[in-house]
Amino acid sequence: DLQLLAIGRPSGLECDVLLYDPMPGGSGLLEQLRDSWEAVVEEAILLLEGCVSACETACIDCLHTYRNRFYHEYLNRHAALTVLHEFKGPLEKQYDIPEVQPHTSTTTGRTATKLEEWFRRLLKAADLADPECQVDIRFRNGSGHTIPDFFYAGDDDDQGLCIYVDGMGDRIHGDPVQARKDEFLRAQLLGEGYEVLVVPSTDQDDRNAMVRVIKRVAKFLHGKDASRRLGEDLGWYDQALVGEKAGESTTEATIANQPMTEMGPVKSPDNPPLFPFEIIESPPVSNRFVTCVP
């Protein structure tokens, strides 16, 4: 599941090779590779030195695979051995690279972040405890990890409830490959005793669907009676919906009432400027323009 990207340098004599995990949240394979790097290198050296075909350059018994078929003529196991002996490690972590995901939205235009805000608003209106966010769950068999959007810890009989609020953009959960990976990770969770709740973006604007979701959370936290009460009286849902729309209307009305010029709202003591974007302080140079524009 790991991907390779080779980027040539201007000299034409060297290149940088990037090994990366394309899975949102990570599959855990990179961490395992880093922690076991020296053992991995030793196995690779044994494979190349002991090629059963004793080939002069490379063959299907050592380096040739279907994935690198376009580069077979350039592969050489003896050159690979030189590289492996030079870079035996160990590998050391230098810094994190911030995750940047495309925004997705529901049919009414809520972005992925707004989806999570809407879900938390419903939980609060239903008087349910605030969940933990972005908890890193490592699988016992060492096959990787997963990071649900929300998490409720369980008792002795239950590991906990993992909640995924899924956008359906082509590059996230709407992608068939990503969907299969999601299914695998969530099956792993079920096998280790966790409960899993998936809230697709297509359900975010469906009253009945969201009521069922909140009822299931209530059942996990407080039992069947609490779940039934939420289903019998939907005042909490209406409260959340009114609160959200009131917040949107206030913002829209404030923007509409701002005296405007070609450069934006007029600034005056009685009329502080209101912009459609969040204004933030300039980040450190190393992170500049990653999450904002000048």
Side-chain angles (χ1 to χ4, degrees):
D1 289 331
L2 301 179
Q3 301 292 322
L4 285 168
L5 176 65
I7 303 177
R9 294 185 180 179
S11 66
L13 301 177
E14 295 180 323
C15 70
D16 294 308
V17 180
L18 309 180
L19 180 66
Y20 65 96
D21 189 340
M23 190 172 190
S27 64
L29 292 176
L30 274 179
E31 289 87 347
Q32 292 181 59
L33 182 63
R34 178 198 64 203
D35 296 341
S36 306
W37 179 251
E38 292 167 289
V40 170
V41 170
E42 287 299 327
E43 284 294 323
I45 290 175
L46 290 175
L47 172 67
L48 296 175
E49 289 180 339
C51 175
V52 296
S53 297
C55 60
E56 293 185 6
T57 54
C59 67
I60 196 171
D61 290 321
C62 55
L63 285 178
H64 287 183
T65 67
Y66 178 78
R67 183 173 174 179
N68 63 26
R69 62 194 180 281
F70 296 115
Y71 316 111
H72 284 181
E73 63 181 299
Y74 304 110
L75 300 178
N76 187 306
R77 67 186 178 99
H78 305 290
L81 280 167
T82 301
V83 173
L84 288 172
H85 281 295
E86 185 177 351
F87 296 105
K88 284 189 173 182
L91 298 184
E92 295 180 2
K93 179 178 178 180
Q94 291 185 309
Y95 53 85
D96 290 317
I97 299 176
E99 181 176 333
V100 179
Q101 292 287 2
H103 285 281
T104 60
S105 62
T106 65
T107 53
T108 57
R110 290 192 185 97
T111 64
T113 302
K114 291 296 183 182
L115 299 182
E116 296 178 5
E117 291 177 358
W118 170 234
F119 184 74
R120 297 187 75 157
R121 184 187 292 272
L122 288 174
L123 290 173
K124 184 176 180 180
D127 199 25
L128 297 176
D130 208 26
E132 297 180 72
C133 298
Q134 302 294 308
V135 174
D136 190 352
I137 298 176
R138 302 274 169 170
F139 298 129
R140 290 194 297 263
N141 61 7
S143 62
H145 70 144
T146 182
I147 304 177
D149 296 300
F150 302 114
F151 178 73
Y152 287 103
D155 53 25
D156 295 336
D157 298 324
D158 295 303
Q159 292 279 40
L161 174 62
C162 301
I163 304 172
Y164 296 86
V165 181
D166 286 354
M168 296 303 291
D170 291 339
R171 291 177 56 196
I172 312 183
H173 304 285
D175 172 50
V177 175
Q178 183 58 49
R180 287 195 295 272
K181 291 182 178 180
D182 290 342
E183 185 178 355
F184 170 78
L185 290 174
R186 292 163 190 179
Q188 288 276 90
L189 286 171
L190 291 172
E192 295 198 5
Y194 292 92
E195 290 191 37
V196 178
L197 180 56
V198 179
V199 188
S201 62
T202 50
D203 285 352
Q204 295 286 329
D205 309 310
D206 185 329
R207 179 190 182 101
N208 293 331
M210 293 309 298
V211 168
R212 287 195 297 271
V213 167
I214 299 302
K215 285 179 61 181
R216 184 171 169 187
V217 175
K219 181 180 179 182
F220 176 84
L221 293 176
H222 305 298
K224 293 181 179 180
D225 290 342
S227 176
R228 186 179 62 254
R229 284 195 297 271
L230 289 177
E232 293 172 349
D233 181 4
L234 299 182
W236 58 271
Y237 185 94
D238 296 330
Q239 176 186 344
L241 192 62
V242 170
E244 183 188 48
K245 290 188 177 300
E248 291 175 353
S249 300
T250 301
T251 302
E252 291 168 359
T254 306
I255 293 175
N257 292 329
Q258 291 287 318
M260 300 292 290
T261 69
E262 291 183 359
M263 298 301 292
V266 175
K267 183 177 182 180
S268 69
D270 298 325
N271 180 45
L274 180 64
F275 297 96
F277 304 106
E278 177 187 5
I279 306 301
I280 66 173
E281 295 297 325
S282 178
V285 175
S286 60
N287 294 330
R288 190 167 294 174
F289 311 138
V290 173
T291 59
C292 63
V293 293

Short mmCIF file of all heavy atoms in Angstrom, two decimals, residues 23 30 40 47 54 62 69-70 73 92 134 148 160 187 258 261 265 273:
data_model
loop_
_atom_site.label_atom_id
_atom_site.label_comp_id
_atom_site.label_asym_id
_atom_site.label_seq_id
_atom_site.Cartn_x
_atom_site.Cartn_y
_atom_site.Cartn_z
N MET A 23 -2.71 6.74 2.34
CA MET A 23 -3.96 6.54 3.07
C MET A 23 -4.21 7.67 4.06
O MET A 23 -3.36 7.95 4.90
CB MET A 23 -3.91 5.20 3.81
CG MET A 23 -5.21 4.78 4.39
SD MET A 23 -5.07 3.10 5.02
CE MET A 23 -6.79 2.76 5.36
N LEU A 30 4.40 2.71 7.36
CA LEU A 30 5.64 3.50 7.38
C LEU A 30 6.32 3.44 8.74
O LEU A 30 7.55 3.31 8.83
CB LEU A 30 5.36 4.96 7.00
CG LEU A 30 5.35 5.29 5.51
CD1 LEU A 30 5.04 6.76 5.29
CD2 LEU A 30 6.68 4.94 4.87
N VAL A 40 14.74 -5.06 7.79
CA VAL A 40 14.25 -5.04 6.41
C VAL A 40 15.42 -5.00 5.43
O VAL A 40 15.45 -5.72 4.42
CB VAL A 40 13.32 -3.83 6.18
CG1 VAL A 40 13.00 -3.66 4.70
CG2 VAL A 40 12.03 -3.99 6.97
N LEU A 47 18.15 -11.38 -0.09
CA LEU A 47 17.40 -11.67 -1.32
C LEU A 47 18.23 -11.38 -2.56
O LEU A 47 18.26 -12.18 -3.51
CB LEU A 47 16.12 -10.82 -1.34
CG LEU A 47 15.30 -10.86 -2.64
CD1 LEU A 47 14.69 -12.24 -2.86
CD2 LEU A 47 14.21 -9.80 -2.63
N ALA A 54 20.75 -16.39 -10.11
CA ALA A 54 22.11 -15.86 -10.26
C ALA A 54 22.22 -14.97 -11.48
O ALA A 54 23.17 -15.06 -12.26
CB ALA A 54 23.11 -17.01 -10.33
N CYS A 62 14.48 -11.58 -8.15
CA CYS A 62 15.05 -10.62 -7.21
C CYS A 62 14.38 -9.24 -7.28
O CYS A 62 13.78 -8.79 -6.31
CB CYS A 62 16.56 -10.50 -7.40
SG CYS A 62 17.09 -10.09 -9.07
N ARG A 69 7.59 -2.76 -14.12
CA ARG A 69 7.85 -3.34 -15.44
C ARG A 69 8.42 -2.34 -16.44
O ARG A 69 9.15 -2.72 -17.36
CB ARG A 69 6.58 -3.96 -16.02
CG ARG A 69 5.45 -2.98 -16.26
CD ARG A 69 4.13 -3.72 -16.49
NE ARG A 69 3.01 -2.82 -16.74
CZ ARG A 69 2.36 -2.16 -15.81
NH1 ARG A 69 2.72 -2.30 -14.54
NH2 ARG A 69 1.34 -1.36 -16.11
N PHE A 70 8.10 -1.06 -16.28
CA PHE A 70 8.59 -0.05 -17.22
C PHE A 70 10.06 0.31 -16.98
O PHE A 70 10.67 1.02 -17.77
CB PHE A 70 7.73 1.22 -17.14
CG PHE A 70 6.30 1.00 -17.55
CD1 PHE A 70 5.28 1.14 -16.62
CD2 PHE A 70 5.97 0.64 -18.85
CE1 PHE A 70 3.96 0.93 -16.99
CE2 PHE A 70 4.65 0.43 -19.22
CZ PHE A 70 3.64 0.58 -18.28
N GLU A 73 14.81 -2.60 -17.53
CA GLU A 73 16.12 -2.49 -18.17
C GLU A 73 17.11 -1.69 -17.34
O GLU A 73 18.32 -1.77 -17.55
CB GLU A 73 15.98 -1.86 -19.56
CG GLU A 73 15.45 -0.43 -19.53
CD GLU A 73 15.31 0.15 -20.93
OE1 GLU A 73 16.34 0.26 -21.63
OE2 GLU A 73 14.17 0.48 -21.33
N GLU A 92 15.78 7.89 11.44
CA GLU A 92 15.35 8.75 12.53
C GLU A 92 14.30 9.73 12.01
O GLU A 92 14.43 10.27 10.92
CB GLU A 92 16.53 9.55 13.10
CG GLU A 92 17.59 8.68 13.77
CD GLU A 92 18.75 9.50 14.32
OE1 GLU A 92 18.69 10.75 14.18
OE2 GLU A 92 19.69 8.90 14.86
N GLN A 134 -9.90 12.40 17.08
CA GLN A 134 -8.67 11.96 16.45
C GLN A 134 -7.83 11.06 17.37
O GLN A 134 -6.62 11.26 17.53
CB GLN A 134 -7.84 13.18 16.02
CG GLN A 134 -8.55 14.10 15.05
CD GLN A 134 -8.83 13.45 13.70
OE1 GLN A 134 -7.91 12.91 13.09
NE2 GLN A 134 -10.06 13.50 13.24
N PRO A 148 -10.29 7.38 14.07
CA PRO A 148 -11.68 7.82 13.85
C PRO A 148 -11.83 9.30 14.15
O PRO A 148 -11.03 9.89 14.89
CB PRO A 148 -12.48 6.96 14.84
CG PRO A 148 -11.49 6.59 15.90
CD PRO A 148 -10.16 6.48 15.22
N GLY A 160 -14.87 0.33 22.85
CA GLY A 160 -15.26 1.71 22.63
C GLY A 160 -16.05 1.85 21.35
O GLY A 160 -16.23 0.90 20.60
N ALA A 187 -13.33 -3.36 9.68
CA ALA A 187 -13.50 -4.78 10.01
C ALA A 187 -12.50 -5.19 11.09
O ALA A 187 -12.83 -5.99 11.98
CB ALA A 187 -13.32 -5.63 8.76
N GLN A 258 -23.03 45.51 5.95
CA GLN A 258 -21.75 46.21 5.98
C GLN A 258 -21.64 47.17 4.81
O GLN A 258 -21.86 46.77 3.66
CB GLN A 258 -20.59 45.21 5.89
CG GLN A 258 -20.43 44.35 7.12
CD GLN A 258 -19.86 45.12 8.28
OE1 GLN A 258 -18.94 45.90 8.11
NE2 GLN A 258 -20.42 44.94 9.45
N THR A 261 -16.91 48.78 -0.13
CA THR A 261 -16.18 49.47 -1.19
C THR A 261 -15.61 48.38 -2.08
O THR A 261 -15.81 47.19 -1.85
CB THR A 261 -15.02 50.30 -0.62
OG1 THR A 261 -14.03 49.40 -0.11
CG2 THR A 261 -15.49 51.21 0.50
N PRO A 265 -15.28 45.68 3.18
CA PRO A 265 -16.11 46.46 4.11
C PRO A 265 -15.42 47.75 4.54
O PRO A 265 -14.19 47.82 4.65
CB PRO A 265 -16.27 45.52 5.31
CG PRO A 265 -15.93 44.17 4.80
CD PRO A 265 -14.92 44.38 3.72
N PRO A 273 -14.70 45.99 10.55
CA PRO A 273 -14.74 45.21 9.30
C PRO A 273 -15.08 43.75 9.57
O PRO A 273 -14.66 43.18 10.56
CB PRO A 273 -13.32 45.37 8.76
CG PRO A 273 -12.48 45.59 9.97
CD PRO A 273 -13.34 46.42 10.89
#
